PDB file of all heavy atoms in Angstrom:
ATOM      1  N   THR C 507      68.613  51.660 206.404  1.00  0.00           N
ATOM      2  CA  THR C 507      68.040  52.940 206.862  1.00  0.00           C
ATOM      3  C   THR C 507      69.070  54.029 206.652  1.00  0.00           C
ATOM      4  O   THR C 507      70.256  53.731 206.502  1.00  0.00           O
ATOM      5  CB  THR C 507      67.643  52.834 208.350  1.00  0.00           C
ATOM      6  OG1 THR C 507      68.839  52.574 209.099  1.00  0.00           O
ATOM      7  CG2 THR C 507      66.626  51.779 208.620  1.00  0.00           C
ATOM      8  N   ARG C 518      79.555  58.848 213.220  1.00  0.00           N
ATOM      9  CA  ARG C 518      78.963  58.543 214.470  1.00  0.00           C
ATOM     10  C   ARG C 518      77.947  59.590 214.924  1.00  0.00           C
ATOM     11  O   ARG C 518      77.108  59.370 215.707  1.00  0.00           O
ATOM     12  CB  ARG C 518      80.066  58.405 215.532  1.00  0.00           C
ATOM     13  CG  ARG C 518      80.738  57.033 215.554  1.00  0.00           C
ATOM     14  CD  ARG C 518      79.718  55.945 215.900  1.00  0.00           C
ATOM     15  NE  ARG C 518      80.276  54.586 215.624  1.00  0.00           N
ATOM     16  CZ  ARG C 518      80.262  54.006 214.417  1.00  0.00           C
ATOM     17  NH1 ARG C 518      79.742  54.570 213.441  1.00  0.00           N
ATOM     18  NH2 ARG C 518      80.820  52.843 214.271  1.00  0.00           N
ATOM     19  N   SER C 525      72.790  72.686 222.957  1.00  0.00           N
ATOM     20  CA  SER C 525      74.114  73.236 223.355  1.00  0.00           C
ATOM     21  C   SER C 525      75.127  73.212 222.248  1.00  0.00           C
ATOM     22  O   SER C 525      76.210  73.769 222.354  1.00  0.00           O
ATOM     23  CB  SER C 525      74.682  72.516 224.559  1.00  0.00           C
ATOM     24  OG  SER C 525      75.006  71.159 224.177  1.00  0.00           O
ATOM     25  N   ARG C 529      75.253  64.642 218.244  1.00  0.00           N
ATOM     26  CA  ARG C 529      74.405  63.473 218.505  1.00  0.00           C
ATOM     27  C   ARG C 529      74.278  62.579 217.270  1.00  0.00           C
ATOM     28  O   ARG C 529      74.383  63.088 216.150  1.00  0.00           O
ATOM     29  CB  ARG C 529      72.940  63.874 218.893  1.00  0.00           C
ATOM     30  CG  ARG C 529      72.854  64.618 220.213  1.00  0.00           C
ATOM     31  CD  ARG C 529      73.062  63.685 221.374  1.00  0.00           C
ATOM     32  NE  ARG C 529      73.118  64.488 222.651  1.00  0.00           N
ATOM     33  CZ  ARG C 529      72.057  64.868 223.378  1.00  0.00           C
ATOM     34  NH1 ARG C 529      70.871  64.490 222.914  1.00  0.00           N
ATOM     35  NH2 ARG C 529      72.166  65.545 224.413  1.00  0.00           N
ATOM     36  N   PHE C 532      70.895  56.801 219.148  1.00  0.00           N
ATOM     37  CA  PHE C 532      70.877  56.296 220.525  1.00  0.00           C
ATOM     38  C   PHE C 532      69.968  55.058 220.599  1.00  0.00           C
ATOM     39  O   PHE C 532      70.460  53.945 220.819  1.00  0.00           O
ATOM     40  CB  PHE C 532      70.439  57.380 221.552  1.00  0.00           C
ATOM     41  CG  PHE C 532      70.379  56.888 222.904  1.00  0.00           C
ATOM     42  CD1 PHE C 532      71.555  56.419 223.526  1.00  0.00           C
ATOM     43  CD2 PHE C 532      69.199  56.900 223.651  1.00  0.00           C
ATOM     44  CE1 PHE C 532      71.490  55.977 224.852  1.00  0.00           C
ATOM     45  CE2 PHE C 532      69.155  56.451 224.966  1.00  0.00           C
ATOM     46  CZ  PHE C 532      70.355  55.972 225.573  1.00  0.00           C
ATOM     47  N   ASP C 540      67.119  61.468 218.681  1.00  0.00           N
ATOM     48  CA  ASP C 540      68.485  61.969 218.643  1.00  0.00           C
ATOM     49  C   ASP C 540      68.960  62.009 217.174  1.00  0.00           C
ATOM     50  O   ASP C 540      69.855  62.811 216.836  1.00  0.00           O
ATOM     51  CB  ASP C 540      69.442  61.073 219.418  1.00  0.00           C
ATOM     52  CG  ASP C 540      69.751  61.698 220.735  1.00  0.00           C
ATOM     53  OD1 ASP C 540      69.134  62.643 221.121  1.00  0.00           O
ATOM     54  OD2 ASP C 540      70.639  61.093 221.503  1.00  0.00           O
ATOM     55  N   ARG C 549      62.012  68.339 207.273  1.00  0.00           N
ATOM     56  CA  ARG C 549      62.743  68.345 208.532  1.00  0.00           C
ATOM     57  C   ARG C 549      62.349  67.268 209.444  1.00  0.00           C
ATOM     58  O   ARG C 549      61.252  66.665 209.285  1.00  0.00           O
ATOM     59  CB  ARG C 549      62.462  69.655 209.278  1.00  0.00           C
ATOM     60  CG  ARG C 549      63.382  70.827 208.840  1.00  0.00           C
ATOM     61  CD  ARG C 549      63.170  71.980 209.701  1.00  0.00           C
ATOM     62  NE  ARG C 549      63.759  71.829 211.065  1.00  0.00           N
ATOM     63  CZ  ARG C 549      65.002  72.113 211.374  1.00  0.00           C
ATOM     64  NH1 ARG C 549      65.851  72.603 210.467  1.00  0.00           N
ATOM     65  NH2 ARG C 549      65.508  71.919 212.591  1.00  0.00           N
ATOM     66  N   ARG C 557      64.058  54.274 205.466  1.00  0.00           N
ATOM     67  CA  ARG C 557      64.940  53.596 204.502  1.00  0.00           C
ATOM     68  C   ARG C 557      65.566  54.675 203.571  1.00  0.00           C
ATOM     69  O   ARG C 557      64.801  55.588 203.089  1.00  0.00           O
ATOM     70  CB  ARG C 557      64.141  52.634 203.627  1.00  0.00           C
ATOM     71  CG  ARG C 557      63.491  51.596 204.507  1.00  0.00           C
ATOM     72  CD  ARG C 557      63.835  50.198 204.162  1.00  0.00           C
ATOM     73  NE  ARG C 557      63.008  49.290 204.923  1.00  0.00           N
ATOM     74  CZ  ARG C 557      63.503  48.400 205.797  1.00  0.00           C
ATOM     75  NH1 ARG C 557      64.786  48.230 205.952  1.00  0.00           N
ATOM     76  NH2 ARG C 557      62.700  47.670 206.431  1.00  0.00           N
ATOM     77  N   ARG C 569      69.653  71.721 216.716  1.00  0.00           N
ATOM     78  CA  ARG C 569      68.618  72.391 217.479  1.00  0.00           C
ATOM     79  C   ARG C 569      69.150  73.702 218.045  1.00  0.00           C
ATOM     80  O   ARG C 569      68.348  74.538 218.423  1.00  0.00           O
ATOM     81  CB  ARG C 569      68.125  71.486 218.659  1.00  0.00           C
ATOM     82  CG  ARG C 569      67.134  70.499 218.163  1.00  0.00           C
ATOM     83  CD  ARG C 569      66.396  69.895 219.310  1.00  0.00           C
ATOM     84  NE  ARG C 569      65.420  70.792 219.954  1.00  0.00           N
ATOM     85  CZ  ARG C 569      65.015  70.712 221.261  1.00  0.00           C
ATOM     86  NH1 ARG C 569      65.581  69.858 222.020  1.00  0.00           N
ATOM     87  NH2 ARG C 569      64.150  71.508 221.660  1.00  0.00           N
TER      88      ARG C 569
ATOM     89  N   ASP Z 877      57.786  49.225 208.209  1.00  0.00           N
ATOM     90  CA  ASP Z 877      57.275  48.741 206.874  1.00  0.00           C
ATOM     91  C   ASP Z 877      57.494  47.229 206.717  1.00  0.00           C
ATOM     92  O   ASP Z 877      57.242  46.632 205.710  1.00  0.00           O
ATOM     93  CB  ASP Z 877      58.067  49.462 205.744  1.00  0.00           C
ATOM     94  CG  ASP Z 877      59.545  49.313 205.813  1.00  0.00           C
ATOM     95  OD1 ASP Z 877      60.009  48.526 206.643  1.00  0.00           O
ATOM     96  OD2 ASP Z 877      60.283  49.913 204.942  1.00  0.00           O
ATOM     97  N   GLN Z 878      57.954  46.605 207.808  1.00  0.00           N
ATOM     98  CA  GLN Z 878      58.124  45.137 207.858  1.00  0.00           C
ATOM     99  C   GLN Z 878      57.388  44.582 209.051  1.00  0.00           C
ATOM    100  O   GLN Z 878      57.401  45.190 210.123  1.00  0.00           O
ATOM    101  CB  GLN Z 878      59.619  44.882 208.119  1.00  0.00           C
ATOM    102  CG  GLN Z 878      60.397  44.208 207.048  1.00  0.00           C
ATOM    103  CD  GLN Z 878      61.863  44.184 207.408  1.00  0.00           C
ATOM    104  OE1 GLN Z 878      62.581  45.022 206.988  1.00  0.00           O
ATOM    105  NE2 GLN Z 878      62.266  43.214 208.211  1.00  0.00           N
ATOM    106  N   GLU Z 979      70.172  45.196 209.507  1.00  0.00           N
ATOM    107  CA  GLU Z 979      70.971  45.686 208.388  1.00  0.00           C
ATOM    108  C   GLU Z 979      72.411  45.178 208.333  1.00  0.00           C
ATOM    109  O   GLU Z 979      73.171  45.616 207.523  1.00  0.00           O
ATOM    110  CB  GLU Z 979      71.001  47.226 208.432  1.00  0.00           C
ATOM    111  CG  GLU Z 979      69.733  47.860 208.909  1.00  0.00           C
ATOM    112  CD  GLU Z 979      69.773  49.450 208.724  1.00  0.00           C
ATOM    113  OE1 GLU Z 979      70.494  49.895 207.872  1.00  0.00           O
ATOM    114  OE2 GLU Z 979      69.072  50.068 209.479  1.00  0.00           O
ATOM    115  N   VAL Z 983      77.732  48.523 215.350  1.00  0.00           N
ATOM    116  CA  VAL Z 983      77.841  49.912 215.910  1.00  0.00           C
ATOM    117  C   VAL Z 983      79.298  50.224 216.265  1.00  0.00           C
ATOM    118  O   VAL Z 983      79.588  51.451 216.534  1.00  0.00           O
ATOM    119  CB  VAL Z 983      76.883  50.100 217.146  1.00  0.00           C
ATOM    120  CG1 VAL Z 983      75.410  50.004 216.759  1.00  0.00           C
ATOM    121  CG2 VAL Z 983      77.168  49.114 218.273  1.00  0.00           C
ATOM    122  N   ARG Z1210      67.859  64.051 227.705  1.00  0.00           N
ATOM    123  CA  ARG Z1210      68.779  64.152 226.607  1.00  0.00           C
ATOM    124  C   ARG Z1210      68.336  65.280 225.679  1.00  0.00           C
ATOM    125  O   ARG Z1210      69.192  66.019 225.100  1.00  0.00           O
ATOM    126  CB  ARG Z1210      68.875  62.866 225.896  1.00  0.00           C
ATOM    127  CG  ARG Z1210      69.361  61.691 226.667  1.00  0.00           C
ATOM    128  CD  ARG Z1210      69.217  60.420 225.831  1.00  0.00           C
ATOM    129  NE  ARG Z1210      70.042  60.407 224.661  1.00  0.00           N
ATOM    130  CZ  ARG Z1210      71.229  59.909 224.546  1.00  0.00           C
ATOM    131  NH1 ARG Z1210      71.813  59.423 225.591  1.00  0.00           N
ATOM    132  NH2 ARG Z1210      71.850  59.976 223.379  1.00  0.00           N
ATOM    133  N   CYS Z1211      67.033  65.425 225.385  1.00  0.00           N
ATOM    134  CA  CYS Z1211      66.560  66.384 224.383  1.00  0.00           C
ATOM    135  C   CYS Z1211      66.824  67.761 224.772  1.00  0.00           C
ATOM    136  O   CYS Z1211      67.331  68.528 224.046  1.00  0.00           O
ATOM    137  CB  CYS Z1211      65.012  66.201 224.239  1.00  0.00           C
ATOM    138  SG  CYS Z1211      64.485  64.642 223.585  1.00  0.00           S
ATOM    139  N   GLU Z1212      66.442  68.116 226.083  1.00  0.00           N
ATOM    140  CA  GLU Z1212      66.580  69.503 226.480  1.00  0.00           C
ATOM    141  C   GLU Z1212      67.819  69.784 227.274  1.00  0.00           C
ATOM    142  O   GLU Z1212      68.118  70.826 227.795  1.00  0.00           O
ATOM    143  CB  GLU Z1212      65.355  69.949 227.302  1.00  0.00           C
ATOM    144  CG  GLU Z1212      64.051  69.872 226.553  1.00  0.00           C
ATOM    145  CD  GLU Z1212      64.038  70.802 225.346  1.00  0.00           C
ATOM    146  OE1 GLU Z1212      64.577  71.913 225.473  1.00  0.00           O
ATOM    147  OE2 GLU Z1212      63.515  70.452 224.285  1.00  0.00           O
ATOM    148  N   GLU Z1213      68.664  68.732 227.410  1.00  0.00           N
ATOM    149  CA  GLU Z1213      69.928  68.758 228.091  1.00  0.00           C
ATOM    150  C   GLU Z1213      69.779  69.322 229.537  1.00  0.00           C
ATOM    151  O   GLU Z1213      70.594  70.132 229.981  1.00  0.00           O
ATOM    152  CB  GLU Z1213      70.915  69.608 227.323  1.00  0.00           C
ATOM    153  CG  GLU Z1213      71.284  69.072 225.944  1.00  0.00           C
ATOM    154  CD  GLU Z1213      72.241  69.842 225.112  1.00  0.00           C
ATOM    155  OE1 GLU Z1213      71.933  71.038 224.848  1.00  0.00           O
ATOM    156  OE2 GLU Z1213      73.296  69.340 224.736  1.00  0.00           O
ATOM    157  N   ARG Z1268      52.843  65.680 211.066  1.00  0.00           N
ATOM    158  CA  ARG Z1268      53.180  67.089 210.662  1.00  0.00           C
ATOM    159  C   ARG Z1268      51.932  67.879 210.591  1.00  0.00           C
ATOM    160  O   ARG Z1268      50.861  67.353 210.246  1.00  0.00           O
ATOM    161  CB  ARG Z1268      53.910  67.063 209.344  1.00  0.00           C
ATOM    162  CG  ARG Z1268      55.247  66.486 209.430  1.00  0.00           C
ATOM    163  CD  ARG Z1268      55.839  66.062 208.091  1.00  0.00           C
ATOM    164  NE  ARG Z1268      56.873  65.057 208.389  1.00  0.00           N
ATOM    165  CZ  ARG Z1268      58.028  65.294 208.946  1.00  0.00           C
ATOM    166  NH1 ARG Z1268      58.364  66.513 209.237  1.00  0.00           N
ATOM    167  NH2 ARG Z1268      58.911  64.269 209.161  1.00  0.00           N
TER     168      ARG Z1268
END
Side-chain angles (χ1 to χ4, degrees):
Chain C
T507 60
R518 281 295 169 275
S525 68
R529 294 288 173 86
F532 179 61
D540 259 7
R549 274 188 74 87
R557 302 234 186 241
R569 277 196 75 208
Chain Z
D877 60 4
Q878 244 172 264
E979 325 188 25
V983 293
R1210 300 171 62 91
C1211 296
E1212 296 301 321
E1213 298 179 301
R1268 292 164 203 288

